[in-house]
Amino acid sequence: MNQQAALVRVIEAAKAQLEDIRSGIEANLYDPKENDIIGLEAAITLIELEAGTGAVSPAIVLVTTKDGILNTAHDGQVTIEVIDFDTAAGLDTRLLPEAYRELVTTVFDDPHHHGIRYQGENTKLELVYCDAASCQVSECVVVAGAISNDQLALIAGKLQQGGLLIAQQVGLPTPSLQLQGTSGWPSEIDHVFTCLEAFESGAPQLSAILTLDEPTHDITIHELVARFSAVSAWDVDAEWNRLKSLV
């Protein structure tokens, strides 16, 4: 089957599904809140456009289903990815090939719609330290792997108000060490906490923290989240003693 014929088949199947959904909603068999007619119409329009120009090589079609599971089907040059947005299926649920980003953005206006993430994405964390005299230093860390919404929520729940943590206790660098050897550091104006900037007001959006930048540290996002999960309380005394021992 050539590319054009495969696209036509996908369009026909999508239109049949659309009509089934419409009739089901009219008959009160389907909940309109759980069946995205507008999204499916937009996807069909996009596929028809690409079928007319022959611009897709290979063609990629994103199909969402209420009760499906994550799987992939191939039909000629067409790849159909079926994603269940409602059922968790492991840490890599909704982890799509990078080639899907443009299509998801076009259809949903958000590349990370419903928690979708992409292969090759990593997690960028901006660590900021500010002492009582408003002297500020920071360090950017890129961790291997794409963080999920559930993982964002877990980390946010472990931080103190304002996104504060003791970075060393979860294996992250301590930006205040950049002040070592200056102004009597650590002094009465210093403290042990680092701010995870993206978490100052709670869990951030995925788009604010995911990146295609290469990892900068030898730790994966799953390892980092496991360390956060193990934290019951931040040990202020232990960290203060550690900082003073470095002088």
Side-chain angles (χ1 to χ4, degrees):
M1 178 180 293
N2 62 31
Q3 175 178 314
Q4 203 78 4
L7 282 173
V8 169
R9 176 178 291 186
V10 170
I11 292 168
E12 290 174 348
K15 286 183 175 179
Q17 181 186 17
L18 180 60
E19 289 306 312
D20 177 69
I21 292 172
R22 279 181 175 149
S23 60
I25 291 175
E26 291 173 357
N28 294 319
L29 298 176
Y30 298 150
D31 184 347
K33 293 181 180 179
E34 296 180 352
N35 292 274
D36 185 11
I37 289 180
I38 295 176
L40 185 54
E41 287 175 334
I44 291 172
T45 300
L46 180 64
I47 299 165
E48 286 180 324
L49 176 63
E50 299 293 356
T53 62
V56 178
S57 181
I60 299 174
V61 181
L62 183 68
V63 180
T64 63
T65 178
K66 175 65 180 174
D67 56 357
I69 59 173
L70 185 66
N71 61 71
T72 304
H74 299 277
D75 186 2
Q77 295 188 58
V78 176
T79 299
I80 302 174
E81 192 85 24
V82 180
I83 304 170
D84 181 1
F85 287 135
D86 304 287
T87 303
L91 292 172
D92 290 329
T93 302
R94 310 184 187 108
L95 195 62
L96 299 182
E98 175 63 24
Y100 282 85
R101 185 186 297 270
E102 183 177 354
L103 177 60
V104 174
T105 304
T106 299
V107 174
F108 299 113
D109 294 323
D110 177 9
H112 298 107
H113 176 74
H114 272 289
I116 289 174
R117 297 163 297 146
Y118 301 90
Q119 296 165 9
E121 283 187 321
N122 296 309
T123 303
K124 180 180 286 188
L125 303 171
E126 191 72 28
L127 303 165
V128 180
Y129 173 79
C130 185
D131 66 19
S134 298
C135 178
Q136 182 171 302
V137 289
S138 64
E139 184 167 348
C140 181
V141 173
V142 179
V143 177
I147 197 168
S148 69
N149 280 326
D150 288 343
Q151 291 171 328
L152 285 174
L154 185 149
I155 289 177
K158 295 291 184 176
L159 301 175
Q160 292 197 0
Q161 186 174 4
L164 299 180
L165 77 158
I166 297 179
Q168 190 271 342
Q169 292 178 4
V170 289
L172 291 173
T174 304
S176 67
L177 293 181
Q178 297 174 36
L179 301 175
Q180 192 172 5
T182 64
S183 304
W185 180 94
S187 68
E188 65 277 1
I189 66 171
D190 291 300
H191 57 85
V192 300
F193 289 102
T194 296
C195 174
L196 269 182
E197 191 171 49
F199 290 81
E200 282 189 276
S201 301
Q205 297 295 313
L206 287 174
S207 57
I209 203 167
L210 292 178
T211 180
L212 292 175
D213 293 350
E214 292 296 318
T216 58
H217 289 67
D218 188 21
I219 182 175
T220 69
I221 188 59
H222 298 319
E223 291 169 343
L224 180 61
V225 170
R227 294 177 185 180
F228 270 97
S229 182
V231 171
S232 57
W234 302 106
D235 193 334
V236 173
D237 290 339
E239 178 64 358
W240 188 246
N241 289 334
R242 183 183 78 89
L243 295 179
K244 289 195 294 185
S245 72
L246 298 175
V247 177

